Structure formats: C-alpha cells, structure tokens
C-alpha cells in the first residue's frame, strides 16, 4: 500500500459537502509553546528510582485467580504482565504447569525472554509454529492458535490439556475479524478445571464477556478494571507554524475539558498555513528539533503507509546524532546485532538508524530489521520510529510522545476512520513507566486528519468486543474428531455470538445459534460428498489425517495429497506450490511470464488441472477458493533453490517483509504435511527439506534468550 491508493479524507467521509480548504504556502517551523502548556511541561522528566509497589487492581486480580477466572482490563503499561507472572509463579512453586498465549510471535518471543529471566531458561518453552523449543517445560509461551490446536488434540485423544493455568494476553483479539474465532474456540474448549486469566487494555463490554464465560464454564469470572494510566496522557496539537498547544482545556465552572479555542480557530481558518504541500510529508527533521527542544523525545510517528515511513527518514537528515555517548552506543549495539543478523549489516536504512537515530518499522521490513529497531527503541537509543498502525498491537517499545498525522487507517482493503480501540492501542505506547512522569499524544493537522474526531475518540470509552466466530473446514473436521454432530450443536450453543444475541431481539439467541448450526451442517454435507466424512457422520480415514491440516485451505491441500498432485521428490518445487496455496496478497499483475521457469509452470498447471473439478465443486457450494498465482510460487521456488536473498527479492518484485512472511507462512503449511508422515512418508521428508531450505537467514532471525541490554538515559533521546 502506497500513496497511489485513492481515498477520501476521514472528515470528508462524514461531511461529503465539505470542500477542501485553500491553504497558504508552507513556512519554516518556529519552536514555541502555548502558555497553557508551561505547567504541564514542567512535569516532564524521569521519576526517581523507587521499589516496586503493586497497585490495588493488581493485587485484586491475583486474589481473584485463586478461586475464579479473571478478566483484567487496564491501560497499556499498567502492569498486567506482572499479574500473569505472579500467578504463574504461584502455580510453578506448587509443581504445576502454565500456558501463556499471545496473538503475535514478536510478543511471544519477548515473553520467552522475560519468563526465562524470571523462572530460569530451562523451565520455559516456546511454541509459535516457527519456534518449538523445550515443549515439555512447565511454563509454555506460545501463540493462541497453537493452544487451540492442543485443545483439539486433547479432545480427540480423550485427555485433558496438560496445564494447570492459562493466560490469554491481548484478550480483545476475541473481537478480531480474522482471528477472533481462535480466541472464542479456546475459551469454549478449555476444561473447566483450568483457571483462565484474560488480559486486555481495551474491552468495553468486559462485564458481558465475564457473564458469558461464567455461563459456559460453570465457574465464576471476575472483572478487574483499572482506568487510571500509570503515566498520565496529555494530548497536544502541533500548529502548522510550529507552536505546541493543548488539544483540550478546562475553563470556567465546567470541569469537562473542551477543545482549546486556538485549536478551534485553526480548524475554522480556511487559509491556515499547512505543514506540507499537498501530497508531501511534513518536515520531520524540524518537528524532531522542536520535540527535542522541549524534551518530548523519543517519539513514535504513525503514518498511513510503508512508503511514507521510508520517505520520512529522508526528511530527518538534520537530526544528526550529536551526543557522543548516544553515537557510541548506537554504533556498538548495531555492530553486536549485525553479528546475530548478518543481513542488517548492509541494510539500506542502517545509516539512518546509526547516524540519525531514526527508523521505519512496518510489515515490509525484514523480521530481523524490525527486531533490531524494537531492541534499539526499547533500550532508549533511538529518537523516533516512523511506523504504520500495525506496530500498535503487542510490540513493546513505549515512547514519551506518540504523534498522529491521520485519523484513518488502511485495514488491508480500504481506508477507514480510526475507532476508539485502535486509537487507544496506539496511544498506549505514550509514556514509559519508570522513565516518564507524563506521556504525550500529538495531533498533527493535515488533509487526512479530523481533529474533532480524534478528540472524541480520546475521550470515548473502550469499544465493545463482538463475537467473530464462523464455521470453517478445519474447525468442522477437528470437532468431528471427538464430537457427534449433536454434540457440536451443543458447543455452538455456548458461543459468544449466541450469548450476545440473547435478548437483543426476539429469538436473537436462537437465530445466532441456528445460523452457526446451519453453516456447520453445510460444511458437514460437503465433507460427506467429498469422502472425508461417512454417512454415519464419522471421519473417514482421509478425514482423520485431513483434520491435522490446520491451515487456511485444508481441503484443497488434502485433495492434492489424495491425488498425488504435489512434487514428492523436489523440495523447492513443493515449497513453491505451497506458497501458491497460502498466498492471499500477491497477484500476477505486471508479471513477465517469460521470467517464470518452464518446470514451475508445468508443476503449477498440473496442480491447477488436478484440483479444477474439486475447486468448481467448492465454488458451486459457496465455499471460497483462492487462485494460485505464479509470482509467489516463483519467488519461493527461487529462494528454496538457493538463489541469494537480494536476487530473490529483486526478481520477485516484492517487499522484503512480504517475501519473508510468505516464506514463513509457506513453512507453516509444510509443517502440517510433515505431521502426516504416518500417511505420506515420502512427502513428509520432502516437506521437511523444503522447510530447511526456506527458513534460512534472513527469513528466520536468530532468537535470543537474553534480556535487552540496559543503557543509561541519553539527553539526545529526550530525557
């Protein structure tokens, strides 16, 4: 996604009659602070070191999980992880086992380091798909999908999950459109005997979620809510002339904050100056100079696209690192990280990180480079990160200031106005506990910034979480491993969707359940017709092994295996075909077909022809089928064939991060084929070799169990 993406400004979406303003020419930024900010800025500084004292909500939550499930909602940085660590320690000291599940691999990797330091490396294992280390350890950290899959296996074999305590971090993912179903399944399937701790910064309807859990798990679920931020957040506005001013003020007898008059005047001035000409980015170097002058660094700037994040670095050339200590530490740390991640030594943006103390963090970057920036930021060595909104969830590098240039975000399909949850996730990065007395969110006027909307969202309560459960073939197969259709119907009655529709309308609960049950029956009928389920509603031999394909397109892959369509003795070609099966982004637009090797074209055509009838049958029954494109298959074929990374990226015409993610997802599909060794031994061996070929540096960064290097506070970085 780049600047070529057409969109309507967020404010124009709500006010289609509004015409664009005619603005004056841009002028150099002049540092300045509104008098109303004087007392606020006097609070900026580093708190004196003090012994940790738990907050009342932390102690309340610890007490709750002794005898009940618990849902904790508290602002980012309030100390929710401390609750989990203390609860896990209590279980661990009694000889018990604990499972800590999170939505993001990066977050899981960081928890592995934290827990290893707390409980000993030998006592902590990690399961993310990419990493499987010490799986029999008493404390496991992993992704929620892995935990859900373990519950599937436990139900199938008639045993209970081998743990005594489960933590679901980032619990608001329950309402995530794409992955929320995994959280809901996990809560539904988890045995009643296992206490459950849910942690989230943003759940507006926490009481409703707790009532649902109490109803389906037959054990109380207590809500522990903390609304106070450990580091207060103060919203400010960057005037296009350079002046910093408050977004809200309280005046007169009214204690309710309202928009500052100077902000209102700016919004109403049709000829107000602009920070940047149309279509261009603002002068970030000058903006950083202002933030530095008033001790507001380090900062995170949220921008709308990857391209903007990369271009922003070029506008920071005046932000040369002048503090000798910071310069030395940056050079030394990058040299150390270069030993671990060889590809970052020549990274095109390394010079900016080392000399300008700035970085661009987005999904188009290599995992190793993103991890490098995260470590440098966490260690206080960078002045600013320019990031897309995806960095807001789960990545832990708080800053003193978070800046917004847009009141909308790209959700992968279109630009949509930010909602309260998204904004709160991003502002949660502002203010570092133990390093800041106060954090700032800076609103930057511009074409795609609706300041009034942002002001409303900053004061809005957290958004409600709604069920995203839906039936798919992987779920259907795995439930049929251990349940009759009648038992599946009973499980669907326990869904959050049914609970939330109860009482919402006449027959709402029944309507939600009926929809899910009808959709399950539709999937069941197709599985029967295609030979994965027999007429007694039991999995056939094919259904039994197909249930282990817990991937996006399990039936198409299973059919390919049944028909022996995949290359059995060519690891690179098998990896290429699997890349085509997982891809949901790349297309063959502008692809030169002459650049695709003939053997690859033949292999793809063989698979497409062989699956054509099955795919048509799926489409005729309203099931989605993704096409196989040559671009992703050719990219992974080259990489698996041994082509150097730089040449593979160039030939693929893909961003490094996209290619790395494609390789990781391909490896995940291949792992499921490896798991079918008892049925397809030759194919499993080829899949294993294919994984080893594509998970080489720089796709798979070397993980460490070491904690971040402590560094002294640096004046240049905002103290």
């Amino acid at each position: 996604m780049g600047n070529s993406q057409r969109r309507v400004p967020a404010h124009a979406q709500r006010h289609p009659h509004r015409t664009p303003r005619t603005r004056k020419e841009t002028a150099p930024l002049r540092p300045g602070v509104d008098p109303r900010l004087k007392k606020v800025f006097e609070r900026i500084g580093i708190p004196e070191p003090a012994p940790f004292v738990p907050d009342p909500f932390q102690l309340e939550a610890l007490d709750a999980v002794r005898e009940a499930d618990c849902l904790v909602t508290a602002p980012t940085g309030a100390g929710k992880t401390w609750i989990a660590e203390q609860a896990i320690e209590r279980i661990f000291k009694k000889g018990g086992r604990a499972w800590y599940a999170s939505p993001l691999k990066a977050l899981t990797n960081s928890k592995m380091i934290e827990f290893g330091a707390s409980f000993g490396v030998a006592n902590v294992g990690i399961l993310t798909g990419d990493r499987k280390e010490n799986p029999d350890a008493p404390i496991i950290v992993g992704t929620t999908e892995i935990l859900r899959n373990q519950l599937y296996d436990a139900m199938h074999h008639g045993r209970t999950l081998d743990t005594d305590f489960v933590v679901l971090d980032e619990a608001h993912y329950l309402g995530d459109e794409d992955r929320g179903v995994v959280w809901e399944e996990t809560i539904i399937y988890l045995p009643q005997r296992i206490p459950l701790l849910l942690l989230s910064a943003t759940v507006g309807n926490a009481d409703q979620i707790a009532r649902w859990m109490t109803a389906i798990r037959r054990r109380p679920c207590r809500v522990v809510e903390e609304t106070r931020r450990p580091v207060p957040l103060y919203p400010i506005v960057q005037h296009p002339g350079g002046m910093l001013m408050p977004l809200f003020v309280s005046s007169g007898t009214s204690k309710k904050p309202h928009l500052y008059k100077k902000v209102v005047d700016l919004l109403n001035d049709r000829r107000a100056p602009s920070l940047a000409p149309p279509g261009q980015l603002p002068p970030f170097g000058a903006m950083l100079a202002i933030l530095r002058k008033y001790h507001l660094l380090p900062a995170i700037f949220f921008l709308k696209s990857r391209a903007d994040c990369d271009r922003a670095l070029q506008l920071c050339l005046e932000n040369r690192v002048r503090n000798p200590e910071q310069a030395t530490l940056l050079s030394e740390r990058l040299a150390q990280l270069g030993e671990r991640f060889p590809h970052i030594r020549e990274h095109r943006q390394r010079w900016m990180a080392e000399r300008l103390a700035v970085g661009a963090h987005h999904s188009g970057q290599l995992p190793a480079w993103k991890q490098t920036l995260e470590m440098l930021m966490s260690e206080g060595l960078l002045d600013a990160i320019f990031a897309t909104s995806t960095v807001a969830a789960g990545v832990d590098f708080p800053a003193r200031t978070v800046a917004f240039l847009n009141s909308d975000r790209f959700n992968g399909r279109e630009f949509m106005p930010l909602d309260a949850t998204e904004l709160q996730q991003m502002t949660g990065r502002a203010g570092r506990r133990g390093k800041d007395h106060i954090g700032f969110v800076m609103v930057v006027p511009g074409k795609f910034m609706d300041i009034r909307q942002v002001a409303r969202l900053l004061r809005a309560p957290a958004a409600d979480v709604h069920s995203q459960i839906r039936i798919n073939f992987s779920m259907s197969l795995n439930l049929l491993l251990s349940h009759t259709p009648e038992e599946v119907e009973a499980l669907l009655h326990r869904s959050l969707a049914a609970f939330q529709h109860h009482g919402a309308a006449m027959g709402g609960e029944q309507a939600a359940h009926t929809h899910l049950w009808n959709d399950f029956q539709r999937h069941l009928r197709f599985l029967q017709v295609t030979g994965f389920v027999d007429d007694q509603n039991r999995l056939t031999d094919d259904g039994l092994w197909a249930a282990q394909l817990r991937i996006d397109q399990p039936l198409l892959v299973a059919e390919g295996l049944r028909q022996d369509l995949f290359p059995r003795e060519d690891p690179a070609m098998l990896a290429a075909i699997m890349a085509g099966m997982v891809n949901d982004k790349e297309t063959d637009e502008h692809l030169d077909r002459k650049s695709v090797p003939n053997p690859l074209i033949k292999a793809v055509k063989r698979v497409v022809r062989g699956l054509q009838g099955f795919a048509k049958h799926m489409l005729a029954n309203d099931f989605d089928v993704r096409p196989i494109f040559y671009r992703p298959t050719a990219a992974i074929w080259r990489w698996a064939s041994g082509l150097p990374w730089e040449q593979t990226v160039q030939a693929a015409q893909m961003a490094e991060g996209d290619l790395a993610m494609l390789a990781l997802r391909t490896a995940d599909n291949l792992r499921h084929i490896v798991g079918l060794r008892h049925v397809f031994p030759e194919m499993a061996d080829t899949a294993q070799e294919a994984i080893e070929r594509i998970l080489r540096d720089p796709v798979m960064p070397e993980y460490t169990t070491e904690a971040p290097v402590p560094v002294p506070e640096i004046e240049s970085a905002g103290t």
Side-chain angles (χ1 to χ4, degrees), residues 152-175:
Y152 278 154
D153 291 334
M155 291 188 296
H156 172 45
H157 295 292
R159 61 173 187 258
T160 187
L161 188 70
D162 188 17
T163 193
D164 304 293
F165 184 61
V166 167
V167 180
L168 290 184
D169 201 356
E170 305 289 342
H172 60 277
Y173 264 76
L174 185 62

Side-chain angles (χ1 to χ4, degrees), residues 553 557 565-584 586 588 596-605 607-608 611 627-642 648 654 659 662-670 673 683 686-687 689-695:
Q553 301 195 81
V557 173
L565 298 176
F566 302 142
R568 280 190 291 169
E569 299 178 352
D570 188 336
M573 198 66 74
L574 178 61
I577 297 298
M578 283 300 108
M581 302 293 281
V582 306
N583 172 67
D584 60 358
E586 296 299 329
D588 287 345
V596 182
N598 281 331
L600 180 59
I601 292 176
K602 290 180 180 178
V604 171
K605 284 185 175 179
V607 172
V608 170
L611 292 177
I628 297 178
F629 293 109
Y630 284 106
R631 186 189 302 278
T633 57
I636 294 299
W637 179 81
R638 291 188 179 96
W639 179 237
S641 297
T648 303
M654 295 167 64
L659 182 55
L662 177 61
L664 289 168
R665 292 186 63 195
T666 300
D668 192 48
N669 267 34
L670 289 166
I673 294 178
M683 189 68 72
T686 305
E689 185 176 342
I691 292 171
E692 294 168 4
R693 289 192 181 196
I694 62 178
L695 290 189

Side-chain angles (χ1 to χ4, degrees), residues 45-115:
I46 304 172
E48 290 292 328
F52 174 76
V53 178
D55 290 333
F57 88 92
Q58 294 174 310
L59 297 175
E60 181 185 352
L62 263 183
D63 181 62
V65 293
R66 289 180 184 273
E67 55 190 28
D69 293 340
C70 184
L71 169 56
V72 179
T73 66
T76 299
K80 294 185 292 294
T81 299
W82 182 87
I83 300 168
E85 284 194 5
Q86 295 300 306
I88 290 172
E89 182 177 20
R90 197 157 58 200
I91 297 289
F92 179 62
K93 284 183 175 179
K94 293 180 180 178
R97 305 173 64 83
W99 226 108
Y100 188 103
S102 84
L104 303 173
K105 293 176 182 178
L107 183 59
T108 305
N109 292 326
S110 69
K111 294 304 176 191
M112 170 76 168
I113 296 171
E114 290 178 34
F115 289 178

Side-chain angles (χ1 to χ4, degrees), residues 418-429:
L418 288 170
D419 62 29
T421 296
E422 292 163 341
L423 189 69
Q424 288 163 12
Q425 283 289 313
M426 289 187 258
T427 58
R429 306 292 117 200

Side-chain angles (χ1 to χ4, degrees), residues 80 102 130 137 144 211 263 335 390 444 476 499 609 621 654 674:
K80 294 185 292 294
S102 84
D130 296 342
T144 313
R211 291 196 305 272
V263 175
T390 53
V444 182
S476 301
F499 187 85
R609 281 196 299 266
N621 285 273
M654 295 167 64
V674 173

